[in-house]
């Protein structure tokens, strides 16, 4: 699998941890909680810096009597208790802040993605989006809820420790400062490499999730075509590539850690050697050296921890960039700043005026070309024609899932681009060719377009769609969960649930895209009767390959290669000859052999 398949767009590589600044809008609402965490962090850091002073007093006054010694150790115990309480408070506030921020980010990303038009999902695999919402936000949770506070604490200890080192012994402090550039160089050089590898690792994880999501959703098809081995090989390839990048990242970080730790503690040992000589020569007391040693250990530990956390911050910066890209993704469809309100009541006249449309993924192949069609209020219009003629495209344009490149689509004379999409779609009921059933109860699935409907209204819609009997026979009736993608139901049952959903919606415009294709003959006749009652007084657009389902339409529009090639009733079109007559002859009179011969 090409790595580019996982890319949202050509994304720049993070060059700085400053990318984490994009998290501020999510942190800002919780400033008080952040301030409490910061206070606890400063207090615990200050207490950590006080402990070496106590150790110095104990060493220098070791011979001053047991009472004074007891007081020193008692004070040390109180300091440790304060440190424990402060650390617990810091953990509580910081961890809770991390959980809250990540929950808000997940909600914001989902809220943004769920509103994007189909053009976005032509470029991005659903599995990659799920990876960002889960894996990337987990990284951010680790940083906001842990690493960031630890980094700040170590920065305070590092700065305070260096100041106390200078106060304890300026000479030894000068030697310590000579070590710092040697430590920073590998952190900066190898840190850039880590940043790039972290971003690649996250991209490959997203690609792996996308591949898994795509194939698991089509598991039965893959098994039916005995493609399990190829599917596993494809997933293995992407997952192994993710592992290889992760292995390189881990190796690079391990090398950086080894170099930094050696330089830090090697330098400390050298400085302590000089300090020990000064104690021997009477330049400083043993307590001062102990104090300097403890501060040096604190500073070295803080510097080492910062080098570790730096890699985590870089990974989180890459994750933040990826999530920010989703939040700022530009949609090809936008609502006007001042949408035109739809008239009430809606007449339901739909117009296509010189419409030309190409799908972005096939820019050189027109789906519709010079398309003109007016559907009158309350009229039932059927769209027929061979596969790829543009029938479903017409349905999608009516719902404004796409905008035409030329011409306009109107509703009651108003260009759809001048309407709010929510307002437009609230007046439409759709029964798609492949109905989506959610992992919820049968009643919740039917209520999708009208969540406030009563149980009686839900059951009435199900009866009209000839779905009541099989729903009532389920283990918990209308409260039975239908499983992911409706796995508990047959194809015909799923379609009848979708029809019940459209009946309950009770919208002035009804779109039926192969709505009865999965029904048996008996169910189809019953559902057709329900659809006929539902279509009364509504503008109805029917897409069908089976011409028996459209014979009673007010008008039949025959499409071929994105153009209207004939219009009329069933009898008129049969009498005219041409494409419709040939399709009708194949379906109503010719046997399979005749169909094969005419192909």
């Amino acid at each position: 699998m090409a790595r580019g398949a996982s890319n949202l767009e050509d994304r720049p590589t993070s060059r700085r941890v400053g990318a984490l600044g994009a998290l501020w809008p999510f942190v800002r609402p919780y400033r008080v909680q952040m301030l409490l965490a910061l206070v606890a962090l400063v207090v615990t850091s200050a207490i950590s810096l006080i402990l070496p002073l106590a150790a110095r007093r104990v060493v220098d006054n070791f011979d001053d009597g047991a009472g004074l010694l007891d007081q020193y150790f008692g004070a040390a115990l109180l300091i440790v208790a304060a440190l424990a309480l402060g650390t617990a408070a810091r953990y509580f506030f910081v961890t809770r802040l991390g959980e809250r921020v990540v929950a808000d980010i997940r909600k914001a990303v989902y809220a943004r993605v769920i509103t994007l038009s189909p053009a976005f999902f032509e470029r991005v695999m659903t599995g990659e989006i799920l990876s960002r919402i889960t894996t990337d936000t987990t990284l951010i949770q680790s940083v906001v809820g842990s690493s960031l506070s630890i980094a700040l604490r170590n920065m305070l200890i590092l700065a305070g420790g260096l100041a106390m080192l200078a106060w304890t012994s300026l000479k030894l402090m000068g030697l310590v400062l000579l070590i710092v550039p040697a430590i920073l160089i590998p952190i900066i050089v190898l840190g850039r490499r880590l940043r790039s590898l972290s971003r690649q690792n996250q991209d490959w994880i997203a690609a792996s999730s996308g591949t898994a999501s795509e194939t698991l959703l089509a598991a039965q098809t893959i098994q039916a075509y005995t493609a399990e081995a190829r599917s596993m090989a494809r997933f293995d390839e992407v997952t192994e590539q993710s592992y290889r990048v992760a292995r390189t990242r881990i190796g690079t970080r391990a090398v950086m850690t080894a170099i930094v730790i050696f330089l830090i503690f090697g330098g400390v040992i050298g400085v302590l050697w000089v300090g020990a000589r000064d104690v021997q020569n009477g330049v400083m007391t043993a307590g001062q050296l102990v104090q300097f040693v403890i501060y040096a250990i604190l500073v070295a530990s803080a510097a080492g921890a910062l080098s570790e956390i730096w890699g985590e911050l870089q990974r989180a910066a890459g994750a933040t960039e990826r999530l920010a890209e989703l939040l700022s993704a530009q949609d090809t469809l936008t609502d006007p700043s001042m949408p035109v309100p739809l008239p009430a009541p809606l007449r339901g006249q739909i117009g296509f005026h010189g419409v030309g449309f190409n799908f972005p993924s096939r820019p050189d192949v027109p789906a519709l070309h010079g398309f003109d069609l007016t559907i009158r209020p309350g009229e039932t219009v059927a769209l027929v024609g061979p596969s790829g003629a543009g029938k479903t495209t017409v349905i999608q344009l009516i719902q404004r899932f796409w905008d035409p490149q030329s011409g306009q689509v109107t509703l009651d004379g108003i260009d759809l681009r001048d309407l709010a999409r929510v307002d437009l779609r609230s007046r439409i009921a759709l029964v798609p060719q492949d109905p989506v059933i959610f992992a919820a109860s049968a009643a919740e699935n039917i209520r999708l377009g009208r969540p406030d409907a009563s149980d009686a209204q839900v059951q009435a819609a199900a009866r009209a769609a000839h779905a009541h009997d099989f729903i009532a026979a389920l283990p918990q009736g209308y409260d039975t969960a239908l499983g992911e993608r409706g796995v508990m139901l047959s194809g015909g049952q799923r379609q009848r649930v979708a029809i019940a959903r459209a009946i309950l919606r009770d919208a002035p415009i009804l779109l039926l895209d192969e709505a009865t294709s999965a029904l048996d003959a008996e169910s189809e006749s019953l559902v057709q009767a329900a659809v006929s009652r539902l279509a009364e007084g509504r503008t109805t657009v029917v897409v069908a390959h089976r011409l028996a389902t459209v014979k009673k339409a007010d008008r039949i529009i025959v499409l071929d290669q994105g153009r209207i090639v004939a219009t009329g009733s069933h009898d008129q079109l049969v009498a005219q000859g041409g494409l419709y007559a040939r399709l009708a002859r194949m379906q109503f009179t010719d046997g399979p052999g005749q169909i094969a011969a005419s192909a």
Side-chain angles (χ1 to χ4, degrees):
M1 174 179 174
R3 179 173 170 242
S6 72
N7 288 346
L8 176 61
E9 291 174 356
D10 292 332
R11 297 178 296 208
T13 302
S14 173
R15 295 183 177 275
R16 55 189 178 84
V17 172
L20 291 171
L23 297 176
W24 175 243
F26 296 96
V27 177
R28 186 170 51 222
Y30 310 105
R31 290 189 295 270
V32 173
Q33 190 172 323
M34 186 175 64
L35 182 62
L36 291 172
L38 188 60
V39 169
L41 188 147
V42 171
V43 169
T44 54
S45 300
I47 291 173
S48 299
L49 292 172
I50 290 172
L51 285 172
L53 293 173
R56 172 187 171 180
R57 288 188 174 275
V58 169
V59 172
D60 284 344
N61 298 284
F62 195 76
D63 298 326
D64 289 350
L68 189 60
L69 197 62
D70 291 344
Q71 291 179 14
Y72 283 140
F73 276 101
L77 189 61
L78 290 176
I79 291 171
V80 169
L83 180 64
L85 290 174
T87 302
R90 175 180 63 85
Y91 169 81
F92 174 78
F93 290 121
V94 169
T95 305
R96 191 174 71 171
L97 178 64
E99 293 284 355
R100 180 69 267 168
V101 166
V102 165
D104 289 350
I105 290 173
R106 283 177 175 158
K107 291 194 294 184
V109 171
Y110 180 81
R112 176 58 182 154
V113 171
I114 197 66
T115 63
L116 293 173
S117 64
F120 175 81
F121 294 96
E122 281 197 345
R123 305 193 310 270
V124 186
M125 294 177 69
T126 304
E128 179 178 358
I129 297 171
L130 295 176
S131 171
R132 295 189 186 196
I133 293 176
T134 53
T135 308
D136 288 354
T137 52
T138 299
L139 279 174
I140 292 172
Q141 181 181 9
S142 173
V143 166
V144 177
S146 176
S147 300
L148 204 55
S149 71
I150 294 173
L152 289 172
R153 179 177 180 275
N154 281 289
M155 287 171 65
L156 289 173
I157 290 176
L158 182 63
L162 288 172
M164 295 304 293
L165 284 176
W167 178 68
T168 306
S169 173
L170 200 58
K171 172 187 172 182
L172 296 181
M173 172 63 185
L175 294 175
V176 169
L177 289 178
L178 292 176
I179 305 169
V180 173
I183 297 171
L184 291 177
I185 289 172
I187 290 177
I188 293 171
V189 173
L190 294 176
R192 289 176 180 170
R193 173 70 173 155
L194 273 176
R195 206 161 36 234
S196 173
L197 289 170
S198 296
R199 183 58 180 266
Q200 291 179 41
N201 189 202
Q202 290 304 112
D203 283 343
W204 279 109
I205 289 173
S208 176
S209 297
T211 301
S213 173
E214 181 183 42
T215 51
L216 289 174
L217 288 174
Q220 290 187 19
T221 302
I222 288 172
Q223 292 168 14
Y225 282 89
T226 59
E228 295 96 332
R230 293 195 302 277
S231 178
M232 286 186 283
R234 181 185 172 197
F235 182 79
D236 289 353
E237 178 188 351
V238 179
T239 304
E240 281 300 314
Q241 185 60 40
S242 172
Y243 167 72
R244 284 192 288 269
V245 174
R247 185 179 59 193
T248 305
R249 174 181 58 79
I250 292 167
T252 303
R253 185 167 174 180
V255 170
M256 184 180 79
T257 301
I259 293 173
V260 169
I261 289 177
F262 175 79
L263 291 174
I264 289 174
F265 288 97
V268 168
I269 290 170
V271 171
L272 291 181
W273 174 72
V274 175
R277 298 293 297 269
D278 285 346
V279 171
Q280 279 186 332
N281 296 330
V283 177
M284 62 190 305
T285 67
Q288 285 177 312
L289 180 59
V290 169
Q291 177 179 307
F292 189 90
V293 168
I294 296 174
Y295 278 127
I297 291 172
L298 285 175
V299 168
S301 300
L306 286 172
S307 71
E308 288 278 334
I309 293 168
W310 187 251
E312 294 297 326
L313 294 178
Q314 288 170 328
R315 291 188 71 195
T320 302
E321 282 184 336
R322 290 157 55 85
L323 289 167
E325 286 167 359
L326 281 180
L327 289 170
S328 61
Q330 295 299 313
D331 200 352
T332 55
L333 296 182
T334 55
D335 286 342
S337 56
M338 297 289 290
V340 176
L342 277 170
L346 187 72
R347 294 172 58 238
Q349 178 168 304
I350 301 170
F352 286 77
H353 310 285
V355 169
F357 175 71
N358 300 57
F359 285 99
S361 57
R362 303 186 298 277
D364 300 327
V365 182
L368 295 177
H369 183 67
F371 192 83
D372 287 286
L373 175 65
T374 298
I375 302 172
R376 295 183 293 273
E379 183 180 23
T380 297
V381 168
L383 306 177
V384 301
S387 297
K391 304 182 297 297
T392 298
T393 303
V394 171
I395 295 286
Q396 291 179 334
L397 288 174
I398 292 173
Q399 298 171 91
R400 204 190 166 214
F401 286 135
W402 307 92
D403 279 338
Q405 282 84 22
S406 60
Q408 61 178 185
V409 184
T410 63
L411 178 58
D412 281 2
I414 305 170
D415 193 320
L416 298 190
R417 286 170 286 208
D418 296 330
L419 299 170
R421 283 172 289 174
V422 171
D423 193 17
L424 165 68
R425 293 169 188 166
S426 68
R427 315 296 178 89
I428 297 173
L430 169 72
V431 181
Q433 180 176 1
D434 184 18
V436 174
I437 304 298
F438 297 95
S441 70
E444 287 176 287
N445 269 283
I446 295 173
R447 280 194 182 98
L448 181 65
R450 193 177 164 190
D452 58 344
S454 67
D455 290 343
Q457 290 171 322
V458 169
Q459 292 186 24
R463 289 180 191 278
H466 195 55
H468 173 76
D469 290 346
F470 76 79
I471 293 176
L474 293 172
Q476 285 85 41
Y478 281 82
D479 294 326
T480 304
L482 300 182
E484 186 179 14
R485 300 178 67 85
V487 293
M488 289 184 62
L489 306 179
S490 68
Q493 289 173 334
R494 287 197 295 270
Q495 225 155 15
R496 278 178 276 174
V497 169
I499 291 169
R501 183 186 291 165
I503 292 171
L504 185 64
R505 176 88 159 175
D506 194 24
I509 298 173
L510 178 63
L511 304 178
L512 304 170
D513 188 359
E514 294 286 356
T516 59
S517 62
L519 301 181
D520 57 73
E522 181 183 359
S523 295
E524 182 177 6
S525 64
L526 292 168
V527 170
Q528 281 296 338
V531 168
S532 297
R533 290 195 302 273
L534 176 64
E536 291 177 3
R538 290 179 172 81
T539 303
T540 305
V541 181
V542 182
V543 171
H545 283 104
R546 289 158 62 175
L547 303 186
T549 63
V550 301
K551 290 175 69 174
K552 295 181 181 179
D554 298 322
R555 258 194 310 160
I556 298 174
I557 311 296
V558 185
L559 281 72
D560 190 22
Q561 297 182 357
R563 296 176 182 271
I564 296 175
V565 296
T567 302
S569 66
H570 172 77
D571 293 335
Q572 290 171 338
L573 292 171
V574 169
Q576 288 176 13
L579 176 59
Y580 185 87
R582 181 164 60 87
L583 293 172
R585 186 173 64 252
M586 291 170 65
Q587 292 193 25
F588 295 134
T589 60
D590 291 351
Q594 295 288 339
I595 294 172
S598 63

